[in-house]
mmCIF file of all heavy atoms in Angstrom:
data_model
loop_
_atom_site.group_PDB
_atom_site.id
_atom_site.type_symbol
_atom_site.label_atom_id
_atom_site.label_comp_id
_atom_site.label_asym_id
_atom_site.label_seq_id
_atom_site.Cartn_x
_atom_site.Cartn_y
_atom_site.Cartn_z
ATOM 1 N N ARG A 1045 135.679 17.507 -36.304
ATOM 2 C CA ARG A 1045 134.497 17.341 -35.485
ATOM 3 C C ARG A 1045 134.635 18.187 -34.215
ATOM 4 O O ARG A 1045 135.730 18.544 -33.791
ATOM 5 C CB ARG A 1045 134.296 15.875 -35.054
ATOM 6 C CG ARG A 1045 133.945 14.953 -36.201
ATOM 7 C CD ARG A 1045 132.561 15.241 -36.737
ATOM 8 N NE ARG A 1045 132.180 14.370 -37.818
ATOM 9 C CZ ARG A 1045 132.321 14.655 -39.109
ATOM 10 N NH1 ARG A 1045 132.879 15.767 -39.483
ATOM 11 N NH2 ARG A 1045 131.921 13.791 -40.022
ATOM 12 N N GLU A 1046 133.479 18.453 -33.637
ATOM 13 C CA GLU A 1046 133.428 19.157 -32.366
ATOM 14 C C GLU A 1046 132.329 18.486 -31.519
ATOM 15 O O GLU A 1046 131.385 17.934 -32.051
ATOM 16 C CB GLU A 1046 133.056 20.625 -32.616
ATOM 17 C CG GLU A 1046 133.074 21.480 -31.382
ATOM 18 C CD GLU A 1046 132.857 22.969 -31.698
ATOM 19 O OE1 GLU A 1046 132.587 23.342 -32.844
ATOM 20 O OE2 GLU A 1046 132.942 23.742 -30.735
ATOM 21 N N LEU A 1047 132.486 18.534 -30.229
ATOM 22 C CA LEU A 1047 131.509 17.985 -29.303
ATOM 23 C C LEU A 1047 130.904 19.121 -28.504
ATOM 24 O O LEU A 1047 131.610 20.064 -28.116
ATOM 25 C CB LEU A 1047 132.185 16.987 -28.330
ATOM 26 C CG LEU A 1047 131.374 16.525 -27.128
ATOM 27 C CD1 LEU A 1047 130.291 15.558 -27.562
ATOM 28 C CD2 LEU A 1047 132.287 15.869 -26.126
ATOM 29 N N ILE A 1048 129.587 19.043 -28.285
ATOM 30 C CA ILE A 1048 128.925 20.037 -27.455
ATOM 31 C C ILE A 1048 128.030 19.319 -26.462
ATOM 32 O O ILE A 1048 127.418 18.312 -26.769
ATOM 33 C CB ILE A 1048 128.095 21.007 -28.327
ATOM 34 C CG1 ILE A 1048 127.478 22.130 -27.462
ATOM 35 C CG2 ILE A 1048 127.023 20.287 -29.096
ATOM 36 C CD1 ILE A 1048 126.818 23.235 -28.257
ATOM 37 N N LEU A 1049 128.008 19.849 -25.256
ATOM 38 C CA LEU A 1049 127.041 19.455 -24.230
ATOM 39 C C LEU A 1049 126.165 20.688 -23.997
ATOM 40 O O LEU A 1049 126.686 21.775 -23.724
ATOM 41 C CB LEU A 1049 127.710 19.041 -22.918
ATOM 42 C CG LEU A 1049 128.473 17.745 -22.950
ATOM 43 C CD1 LEU A 1049 129.229 17.520 -21.641
ATOM 44 C CD2 LEU A 1049 127.559 16.553 -23.247
ATOM 45 N N LEU A 1050 124.878 20.502 -24.107
ATOM 46 C CA LEU A 1050 123.922 21.615 -24.000
ATOM 47 C C LEU A 1050 122.832 21.254 -22.996
ATOM 48 O O LEU A 1050 122.184 20.228 -23.154
ATOM 49 C CB LEU A 1050 123.310 21.836 -25.386
ATOM 50 C CG LEU A 1050 122.638 23.150 -25.692
ATOM 51 C CD1 LEU A 1050 123.688 24.283 -25.725
ATOM 52 C CD2 LEU A 1050 121.972 23.067 -27.030
ATOM 53 N N LYS A 1051 122.706 22.067 -21.940
ATOM 54 C CA LYS A 1051 121.652 21.839 -20.953
ATOM 55 C C LYS A 1051 120.529 22.837 -21.276
ATOM 56 O O LYS A 1051 120.741 24.045 -21.336
ATOM 57 C CB LYS A 1051 122.153 22.058 -19.542
ATOM 58 C CG LYS A 1051 121.112 21.708 -18.482
ATOM 59 C CD LYS A 1051 121.540 22.029 -17.084
ATOM 60 C CE LYS A 1051 122.791 21.288 -16.697
ATOM 61 N NZ LYS A 1051 123.189 21.560 -15.289
ATOM 62 N N VAL A 1052 119.340 22.284 -21.478
ATOM 63 C CA VAL A 1052 118.187 23.080 -21.891
ATOM 64 C C VAL A 1052 117.083 22.928 -20.845
ATOM 65 O O VAL A 1052 116.777 21.795 -20.408
ATOM 66 C CB VAL A 1052 117.652 22.611 -23.266
ATOM 67 C CG1 VAL A 1052 116.498 23.454 -23.719
ATOM 68 C CG2 VAL A 1052 118.756 22.606 -24.287
ATOM 69 N N ARG A 1053 116.484 24.066 -20.467
ATOM 70 C CA ARG A 1053 115.318 23.968 -19.572
ATOM 71 C C ARG A 1053 114.236 23.276 -20.350
ATOM 72 O O ARG A 1053 113.930 23.656 -21.481
ATOM 73 C CB ARG A 1053 114.856 25.349 -19.101
ATOM 74 C CG ARG A 1053 113.687 25.251 -18.140
ATOM 75 C CD ARG A 1053 113.318 26.560 -17.447
ATOM 76 N NE ARG A 1053 114.436 27.271 -16.842
ATOM 77 C CZ ARG A 1053 115.013 26.966 -15.678
ATOM 78 N NH1 ARG A 1053 114.569 25.936 -14.986
ATOM 79 N NH2 ARG A 1053 116.017 27.691 -15.200
ATOM 80 N N ALA A 1054 113.663 22.217 -19.783
ATOM 81 C CA ALA A 1054 112.683 21.413 -20.491
ATOM 82 C C ALA A 1054 111.455 21.212 -19.596
ATOM 83 O O ALA A 1054 111.371 20.229 -18.851
ATOM 84 C CB ALA A 1054 113.281 20.080 -20.914
ATOM 85 N N ARG A 1055 110.520 22.137 -19.711
ATOM 86 C CA ARG A 1055 109.258 21.955 -18.990
ATOM 87 C C ARG A 1055 108.511 20.800 -19.642
ATOM 88 O O ARG A 1055 108.775 20.435 -20.779
ATOM 89 C CB ARG A 1055 108.465 23.256 -19.033
ATOM 90 C CG ARG A 1055 109.155 24.396 -18.297
ATOM 91 C CD ARG A 1055 108.406 25.709 -18.484
ATOM 92 N NE ARG A 1055 109.149 26.818 -17.895
ATOM 93 C CZ ARG A 1055 110.122 27.480 -18.548
ATOM 94 N NH1 ARG A 1055 110.470 27.163 -19.764
ATOM 95 N NH2 ARG A 1055 110.752 28.459 -17.966
ATOM 96 N N ALA A 1056 107.547 20.252 -18.950
ATOM 97 C CA ALA A 1056 106.808 19.079 -19.460
ATOM 98 C C ALA A 1056 106.266 19.292 -20.858
ATOM 99 O O ALA A 1056 106.364 18.417 -21.726
ATOM 100 C CB ALA A 1056 105.685 18.715 -18.488
ATOM 101 N N GLU A 1057 105.721 20.479 -21.122
ATOM 102 C CA GLU A 1057 105.112 20.735 -22.429
ATOM 103 C C GLU A 1057 106.161 20.946 -23.537
ATOM 104 O O GLU A 1057 105.829 20.890 -24.720
ATOM 105 C CB GLU A 1057 104.164 21.954 -22.347
ATOM 106 C CG GLU A 1057 104.814 23.295 -22.007
ATOM 107 C CD GLU A 1057 104.960 23.548 -20.513
ATOM 108 O OE1 GLU A 1057 104.674 22.659 -19.692
ATOM 109 O OE2 GLU A 1057 105.368 24.665 -20.165
ATOM 110 N N GLU A 1058 107.432 21.172 -23.203
ATOM 111 C CA GLU A 1058 108.502 21.404 -24.194
ATOM 112 C C GLU A 1058 109.372 20.167 -24.436
ATOM 113 O O GLU A 1058 110.079 20.072 -25.435
ATOM 114 C CB GLU A 1058 109.424 22.536 -23.724
ATOM 115 C CG GLU A 1058 108.733 23.846 -23.540
ATOM 116 C CD GLU A 1058 109.632 24.864 -22.864
ATOM 117 O OE1 GLU A 1058 110.433 24.483 -21.974
ATOM 118 O OE2 GLU A 1058 109.528 26.061 -23.225
ATOM 119 N N ARG A 1059 109.350 19.261 -23.507
ATOM 120 C CA ARG A 1059 110.276 18.116 -23.512
ATOM 121 C C ARG A 1059 110.283 17.346 -24.842
ATOM 122 O O ARG A 1059 111.323 17.089 -25.418
ATOM 123 C CB ARG A 1059 109.960 17.185 -22.349
ATOM 124 C CG ARG A 1059 111.049 16.211 -22.015
ATOM 125 C CD ARG A 1059 110.740 15.532 -20.682
ATOM 126 N NE ARG A 1059 110.844 16.429 -19.564
ATOM 127 C CZ ARG A 1059 111.912 16.527 -18.770
ATOM 128 N NH1 ARG A 1059 112.930 15.744 -18.952
ATOM 129 N NH2 ARG A 1059 111.937 17.383 -17.773
ATOM 130 N N GLN A 1060 109.127 16.991 -25.327
ATOM 131 C CA GLN A 1060 109.044 16.184 -26.574
ATOM 132 C C GLN A 1060 109.576 16.960 -27.791
ATOM 133 O O GLN A 1060 110.210 16.383 -28.662
ATOM 134 C CB GLN A 1060 107.591 15.733 -26.838
ATOM 135 C CG GLN A 1060 107.230 14.474 -26.082
ATOM 136 C CD GLN A 1060 108.252 13.358 -26.230
ATOM 137 O OE1 GLN A 1060 108.907 12.978 -25.259
ATOM 138 N NE2 GLN A 1060 108.410 12.832 -27.418
ATOM 139 N N GLN A 1061 109.339 18.270 -27.821
ATOM 140 C CA GLN A 1061 109.847 19.096 -28.936
ATOM 141 C C GLN A 1061 111.373 19.134 -28.946
ATOM 142 O O GLN A 1061 111.995 19.031 -29.984
ATOM 143 C CB GLN A 1061 109.273 20.511 -28.847
ATOM 144 C CG GLN A 1061 107.760 20.553 -29.000
ATOM 145 C CD GLN A 1061 107.187 21.880 -28.473
ATOM 146 O OE1 GLN A 1061 107.808 22.556 -27.679
ATOM 147 N NE2 GLN A 1061 105.994 22.194 -28.930
ATOM 148 N N ILE A 1062 111.945 19.263 -27.753
ATOM 149 C CA ILE A 1062 113.414 19.295 -27.648
ATOM 150 C C ILE A 1062 114.010 17.944 -28.052
ATOM 151 O O ILE A 1062 114.998 17.881 -28.769
ATOM 152 C CB ILE A 1062 113.850 19.708 -26.209
ATOM 153 C CG1 ILE A 1062 113.405 21.163 -25.937
ATOM 154 C CG2 ILE A 1062 115.342 19.541 -26.031
ATOM 155 C CD1 ILE A 1062 113.479 21.560 -24.478
ATOM 156 N N ILE A 1063 113.369 16.864 -27.580
ATOM 157 C CA ILE A 1063 113.845 15.516 -27.939
ATOM 158 C C ILE A 1063 113.721 15.300 -29.445
ATOM 159 O O ILE A 1063 114.630 14.700 -30.063
ATOM 160 C CB ILE A 1063 113.060 14.453 -27.141
ATOM 161 C CG1 ILE A 1063 113.448 14.533 -25.673
ATOM 162 C CG2 ILE A 1063 113.315 13.058 -27.688
ATOM 163 C CD1 ILE A 1063 112.584 13.689 -24.737
ATOM 164 N N ALA A 1064 112.695 15.831 -30.073
ATOM 165 C CA ALA A 1064 112.524 15.695 -31.520
ATOM 166 C C ALA A 1064 113.646 16.422 -32.275
ATOM 167 O O ALA A 1064 114.194 15.877 -33.254
ATOM 168 C CB ALA A 1064 111.147 16.223 -31.945
ATOM 169 N N VAL A 1065 113.993 17.600 -31.828
ATOM 170 C CA VAL A 1065 115.103 18.341 -32.463
ATOM 171 C C VAL A 1065 116.395 17.542 -32.282
ATOM 172 O O VAL A 1065 117.168 17.383 -33.221
ATOM 173 C CB VAL A 1065 115.244 19.763 -31.849
ATOM 174 C CG1 VAL A 1065 116.532 20.429 -32.348
ATOM 175 C CG2 VAL A 1065 114.041 20.617 -32.210
ATOM 176 N N ALA A 1066 116.639 17.013 -31.080
ATOM 177 C CA ALA A 1066 117.831 16.203 -30.835
ATOM 178 C C ALA A 1066 117.862 14.986 -31.740
ATOM 179 O O ALA A 1066 118.932 14.649 -32.309
ATOM 180 C CB ALA A 1066 117.878 15.787 -29.363
ATOM 181 N N ASP A 1067 116.733 14.331 -31.932
ATOM 182 C CA ASP A 1067 116.673 13.163 -32.824
ATOM 183 C C ASP A 1067 117.025 13.498 -34.251
ATOM 184 O O ASP A 1067 117.746 12.731 -34.924
ATOM 185 C CB ASP A 1067 115.281 12.531 -32.755
ATOM 186 C CG ASP A 1067 115.024 11.777 -31.466
ATOM 187 O OD1 ASP A 1067 115.984 11.492 -30.723
ATOM 188 O OD2 ASP A 1067 113.840 11.466 -31.204
ATOM 189 N N VAL A 1068 116.530 14.621 -34.755
ATOM 190 C CA VAL A 1068 116.850 15.030 -36.119
ATOM 191 C C VAL A 1068 118.365 15.165 -36.323
ATOM 192 O O VAL A 1068 118.901 14.808 -37.353
ATOM 193 C CB VAL A 1068 116.134 16.365 -36.475
ATOM 194 C CG1 VAL A 1068 116.675 16.973 -37.751
ATOM 195 C CG2 VAL A 1068 114.638 16.129 -36.563
ATOM 196 N N PHE A 1069 119.049 15.676 -35.298
ATOM 197 C CA PHE A 1069 120.497 15.874 -35.403
ATOM 198 C C PHE A 1069 121.304 14.665 -34.915
ATOM 199 O O PHE A 1069 122.503 14.704 -34.864
ATOM 200 C CB PHE A 1069 120.896 17.116 -34.583
ATOM 201 C CG PHE A 1069 120.599 18.379 -35.246
ATOM 202 C CD1 PHE A 1069 119.329 18.961 -35.179
ATOM 203 C CD2 PHE A 1069 121.578 19.033 -35.995
ATOM 204 C CE1 PHE A 1069 119.058 20.152 -35.820
ATOM 205 C CE2 PHE A 1069 121.294 20.222 -36.644
ATOM 206 C CZ PHE A 1069 120.035 20.787 -36.546
ATOM 207 N N ARG A 1070 120.624 13.582 -34.583
ATOM 208 C CA ARG A 1070 121.241 12.366 -34.034
ATOM 209 C C ARG A 1070 122.036 12.678 -32.782
ATOM 210 O O ARG A 1070 123.139 12.132 -32.549
ATOM 211 C CB ARG A 1070 122.108 11.669 -35.081
ATOM 212 C CG ARG A 1070 121.281 11.029 -36.171
ATOM 213 C CD ARG A 1070 122.131 10.167 -37.068
ATOM 214 N NE ARG A 1070 121.721 10.436 -38.434
ATOM 215 C CZ ARG A 1070 122.538 10.854 -39.382
ATOM 216 N NH1 ARG A 1070 123.813 11.004 -39.141
ATOM 217 N NH2 ARG A 1070 122.098 11.080 -40.598
ATOM 218 N N ALA A 1071 121.509 13.564 -31.976
ATOM 219 C CA ALA A 1071 122.125 13.905 -30.680
ATOM 220 C C ALA A 1071 121.634 12.914 -29.623
ATOM 221 O O ALA A 1071 120.637 12.234 -29.833
ATOM 222 C CB ALA A 1071 121.747 15.332 -30.287
ATOM 223 N N LYS A 1072 122.371 12.817 -28.541
ATOM 224 C CA LYS A 1072 122.002 11.921 -27.435
ATOM 225 C C LYS A 1072 121.553 12.707 -26.235
ATOM 226 O O LYS A 1072 122.179 13.722 -25.890
ATOM 227 C CB LYS A 1072 123.204 11.097 -27.009
ATOM 228 C CG LYS A 1072 123.765 10.161 -28.043
ATOM 229 C CD LYS A 1072 124.984 9.446 -27.471
ATOM 230 C CE LYS A 1072 125.765 8.769 -28.555
ATOM 231 N NZ LYS A 1072 127.055 8.295 -28.065
ATOM 232 N N ILE A 1073 120.505 12.265 -25.628
ATOM 233 C CA ILE A 1073 120.097 12.850 -24.333
ATOM 234 C C ILE A 1073 120.930 12.108 -23.287
ATOM 235 O O ILE A 1073 120.824 10.910 -23.138
ATOM 236 C CB ILE A 1073 118.589 12.631 -24.055
ATOM 237 C CG1 ILE A 1073 117.732 13.123 -25.230
ATOM 238 C CG2 ILE A 1073 118.191 13.260 -22.743
ATOM 239 C CD1 ILE A 1073 117.772 14.591 -25.493
ATOM 240 N N VAL A 1074 121.789 12.827 -22.604
ATOM 241 C CA VAL A 1074 122.710 12.175 -21.659
ATOM 242 C C VAL A 1074 122.341 12.402 -20.203
ATOM 243 O O VAL A 1074 122.897 11.749 -19.301
ATOM 244 C CB VAL A 1074 124.185 12.605 -21.895
ATOM 245 C CG1 VAL A 1074 124.668 12.093 -23.245
ATOM 246 C CG2 VAL A 1074 124.375 14.102 -21.782
ATOM 247 N N ASP A 1075 121.367 13.310 -19.950
ATOM 248 C CA ASP A 1075 120.897 13.518 -18.579
ATOM 249 C C ASP A 1075 119.489 14.055 -18.650
ATOM 250 O O ASP A 1075 119.204 14.980 -19.429
ATOM 251 C CB ASP A 1075 121.805 14.478 -17.814
ATOM 252 C CG ASP A 1075 121.389 14.584 -16.358
ATOM 253 O OD1 ASP A 1075 121.376 13.559 -15.663
ATOM 254 O OD2 ASP A 1075 121.028 15.707 -15.914
ATOM 255 N N VAL A 1076 118.630 13.484 -17.840
ATOM 256 C CA VAL A 1076 117.265 13.931 -17.742
ATOM 257 C C VAL A 1076 117.003 14.301 -16.291
ATOM 258 O O VAL A 1076 117.229 13.495 -15.385
ATOM 259 C CB VAL A 1076 116.264 12.816 -18.177
ATOM 260 C CG1 VAL A 1076 114.823 13.282 -17.997
ATOM 261 C CG2 VAL A 1076 116.525 12.386 -19.612
ATOM 262 N N ALA A 1077 116.571 15.537 -16.085
ATOM 263 C CA ALA A 1077 116.212 15.980 -14.751
ATOM 264 C C ALA A 1077 114.770 16.489 -14.779
ATOM 265 O O ALA A 1077 114.154 16.560 -15.833
ATOM 266 C CB ALA A 1077 117.171 17.094 -14.298
#
């Protein structure tokens, strides 16, 4: 296994799409700014 932390610019119109991709991979959102 490997662990990755990825910070992605998430404008309001992109936020849900990024969260959807994370959900498909069973990734966790660990910080919201």
